[in-house]
Amino acid sequence: MFLALRDLVFARGRFLLMAVVIVMMALMMVLLTGLSSGLVDRNISGIRALPITHLAFEYDDKPTWSNSMVERAMWEGWADRPGVMTSTQLGNTMFNARTSKDEPVTLALWGMEPGSFIDPGADAGQAIGGDPYGVVVSRMLVAENDVEIGDTIVLDRVLTELKVVGLLDAHNNIAHTPIVYAPFRLWAEASYGPPGGPPEGESLPDILYDFATVVALQLEETTDIAAVDEELFTVALDKPMSFVASTGYKAERDSVRINQGFLLVIATLIIGAFFSIWTIQRTQEIGLIKALGASTGYLVRDALGQVSLLLAVAVTCGVGIGYGLGDLIVERTDIPYVIDIRAMLISGALVIGGGLVGAVLAVRRIARIDPIIALGQLR
Amino acid sequence: MTLAVDSVSLVLGDGDQQVTALNKVSLTVEAGVLCAVMGPSGAGKSSLLAVCGGLLPPTSGRIAIEGNDLTALGERDRARLRRERIGFIFQQSNLVAALTAMDQLLLMAHINGRKPDGAHRERAEQLLEEVGLAHRASHRPDQMSGGERQRVGIARALMTEPSLLLVDEPTSMLDHSRGGEVVELLARQTREHAVATLMVTHDQAMLSWADQVAEIEDGFLGPPSTPHLKGGPPDET
C-alpha cells in the first residue's frame, strides 16, 4: 500500500469524485432496501406479527390467503396432533366499508377466538371479545382515515356494523390492506351470513361457524407435518412461505431484487471503468516500476489494496448516511420504511464485492504492461 | 567483471518487418568504470540497455552480470535480478508522480519486499545528500527542475547497492550545463560506489566523463576507446 496511499493523496480530486459516486451507490442500495422492505412489510406485516411457526391452508398446489377455506375438522384435527403446541383457526375476508366519517375504506376482517394466542389485544381501548360487535383496528385506518375508538365501520353489502373498541400502534396489514381484528363469530356472520345479520330474535345455523381461512399453528420441530397434511387435506407452510401466499408479495419481492441486481451491476461497471481508466493513465508509471524490478503481484496487490480502502471508506459512509436518513424517514414520516441492519450490511458488502470484481477486471491490465516502455527509444 | 556481453544479437519484429537491432555485440564493463555507448537514434542503444537489464531476451549470445548468466533466467528471476543487482536511470528521470524524492528511494526497499526501516531511511538521506538534494527530500517531481529530477533518479538507482547501473540518455531533456553536472555526478558515483555503469547517449559533449567509450551504429558496436587518454577533461582523482 506504499504507492496506493500516496496515489490516493496525490490524486485526491479524482479519488474523491469516485468515492462520492460509491457513497451514492451504497446509499441508494440502502435506501432502496429500506423502502422496499417497508413496502413488502406493508403487504405482510399482519402475518409477520402473528406469533406462529406455521399456517395450514386448505390443500392446493399454490395455496393463497384469498382462496383457502379450512373446515372445523381441520383445525380440531391439527389441535390433537403430537408436536402441536397450540393452534387456532383464523378467518380472513376483504371488505369495502365506510367509516363514521363516511369515508370509503378497504379492510381485511380477521376473525379469531378472543383471548387465543393470535389475539393481538389492544394498545389503546379494549381487546376483542367484550362486545360481540367490538373490533380492534390497526394503525393505517387510524393514520389515514382518522378512525377512533367509538367509531362505527359499516361493511358494504352485508351492512354489518363494527364498533371500534381498540387500536393497535402497529401497521398490521395483509396485501397492503389494514387488518381489523374481530371475534370469530362476528367474522363468520359477516363473511357467510345474510346481509344485515340474523333476523331479530333468531340465530344463524351452527354450520356458519365451521369454516375459517387458515389454521394458525405453533409446532415443535419434530412435528410430522406431511403426515398431518395428508390426513387432514391441508398444506402447512412455515411463516416465510406463508408470506408468499399473500397477494403480490412474490412479485414485489422479485422486483426489488431485480432493482438491487441492476444497481449492483452498475456499481461493478462504474468502479471497473474508473479503475480501468486509472490503470491506463498509469501505464507508463507501472512500466517504470516493473523495470525497476517490481513484480506484477506487488503492483496488483497494491492496486487492489487501494480499491479496497476506497470501497471500505466510501461504502461505510454510504451505509452510515443511509442509516441516518432511514431513521429520519421512520421518525418523521409515514413512508413505509424498515431499518434492517442485516440487510444494510449485506447491501454494503454487495457494493464492496461488486466493486472488487470490477477492480479485478481492471487491474488485470497491469499484468500485460511491458516494462520495456520505460526505455524512451523503445516506447 | 561486472557486466560481460558476449556476441549478443537481437532481432525485433517478424517476417518482412524484422530489424536486427543488435548484431553480435560484445562488451565488458568493470566495477568503478563508466562506459558510454554513443550513437545516433535507432542505432541500437536502447536495445543494448534492454537486453543488459533483462527487459528483452537476446536472440542469441550471452549476458553475464557478476558471473550470473542473465539469458538463462526466467522472467521472474530477471525481475529479481533487476531489483537486487541493477540500477536503472531513465530518460526524463521517470519518477513516480505521487512520490516525494525520499519516497522515490524508499520505494526501492518496498519493491524488494521490505518495509522501509531506519537503515533504509538513513541510506536514502545519505544518497540525496550525495546528489545535493537533501533539502528537496519532501518535494514531488512536479516541484523539481529537470536536473533535480535526474539526480533523484541517480540516487534511486543506487538505493539497492546495485553492481550495475544502466543509464538511458540521461541528458536528453537537460540543457548543456545541467547535463554536464548530471553526468559528472554519475561518473563520481560510479567510482565512489564501485558500480559498473553502462550509459547510452547521443550527446557527444558527455563523453569526456566516461572512462570507456564505444560507438554503435546499425546494431554494430565498435571497439572501446579511452577518452581521457585522448585529451578529455583532467581526471579529478
Side-chain angles (χ1 to χ4, degrees), chain A residues 34-52:
Chain A
L35 284 167
S36 54
S37 302
L39 197 66
V40 168
D41 196 63
R42 290 278 165 100
N43 187 337
I44 48 102
S45 52
I47 311 171
R48 202 195 289 271
L50 287 173
I52 54 163

Side-chain angles (χ1 to χ4, degrees), chain A residues 99-167:
Chain A
T99 65
S100 297
K101 297 170 185 74
D102 204 31
E103 267 195 78
V105 292
T106 303
L107 57 86
L109 192 66
W110 271 20
M112 55 189 55
E113 295 298 346
S116 69
F117 77 99
I118 57 171
D119 179 352
D123 294 315
Q126 290 168 345
I128 56 171
D131 182 325
Y133 289 93
V135 295
V136 169
V137 302
S138 55
R139 178 161 156 191
M140 197 195 270
L141 283 174
V142 179
E144 293 183 6
N145 305 98
D146 297 327
V147 171
E148 296 164 327
I149 291 173
D151 279 6
T152 303
I153 300 173
V154 182
L155 301 179
D156 287 0
R157 197 172 47 81
V158 293
L159 307 177
T160 307
E161 291 185 11
L162 309 176
K163 291 181 201 161
V164 178
V165 296
L167 306 176

Side-chain angles (χ1 to χ4, degrees), chain A residues 2-3 6-7 10 284-285 288-295 298 370-372 374-379, chain B residues 41-42 46 50 55-56 79 82-83 88 90 92 94 96-99 103 107-108 110-111 140 156 168:
Chain A
F2 182 83
L3 270 173
R6 285 157 181 80
D7 263 340
F10 183 65
Q284 183 62 31
E285 192 166 288
L288 161 76
I289 299 168
K290 275 190 170 182
L292 293 175
S295 64
Y298 171 84
D370 192 333
I372 194 81
L375 287 174
Q377 290 260 301
L378 294 174
R379 245 171 241 168
Chain B
S41 271
S46 293
L55 294 176
L56 280 178
R82 267 206 304 281
R83 62 177 179 258
F88 265 107
F90 302 96
Q92 315 169 40
N94 256 348
V96 180
L99 302 185
D103 284 341
L107 172 66
M108 299 309 293
H110 247 275
I111 287 175
R140 280 197 297 263
R156 177 178 67 185
D168 182 24

Side-chain angles (χ1 to χ4, degrees), chain B residues 111-212:
Chain B
I111 287 175
N112 271 302
R114 295 190 199 101
K115 202 169 160 43
D117 56 17
H120 290 117
R121 211 161 273 279
E122 220 167 273
R123 177 163 177 80
E125 277 167 12
Q126 185 206 326
L127 284 169
L128 286 175
E129 176 103 40
E130 281 178 25
V131 299
L133 287 177
H135 63 296
R136 304 291 258 167
S138 59
H139 288 67
R140 280 197 297 263
D142 58 355
Q143 300 163 315
M144 288 187 274
S145 70
E148 285 175 329
R149 284 203 289 267
Q150 200 54 282
R151 276 144 66 191
V152 174
I154 293 172
R156 177 178 67 185
L158 292 166
M159 185 65 190
T160 53
E161 301 181 54
S163 52
L164 174 65
L165 277 186
L166 297 174
V167 190
D168 182 24
E169 303 270 11
T171 61
S172 66
M173 299 292 160
L174 302 178
D175 61 36
H176 182 78
S177 78
R178 280 175 201 279
E181 281 168 24
V182 165
V183 177
E184 186 189 359
L185 174 68
L186 198 56
R188 197 169 64 232
Q189 297 293 331
T190 298
R191 279 194 300 277
E192 284 177 8
H193 292 269
V195 293
T197 299
L198 176 63
M199 170 176 83
V200 303
T201 178
H202 66 271
D203 188 351
Q204 208 122 36
M206 300 304 145
L207 298 183
S208 43
W209 282 280
D211 303 305
Q212 184 180 319

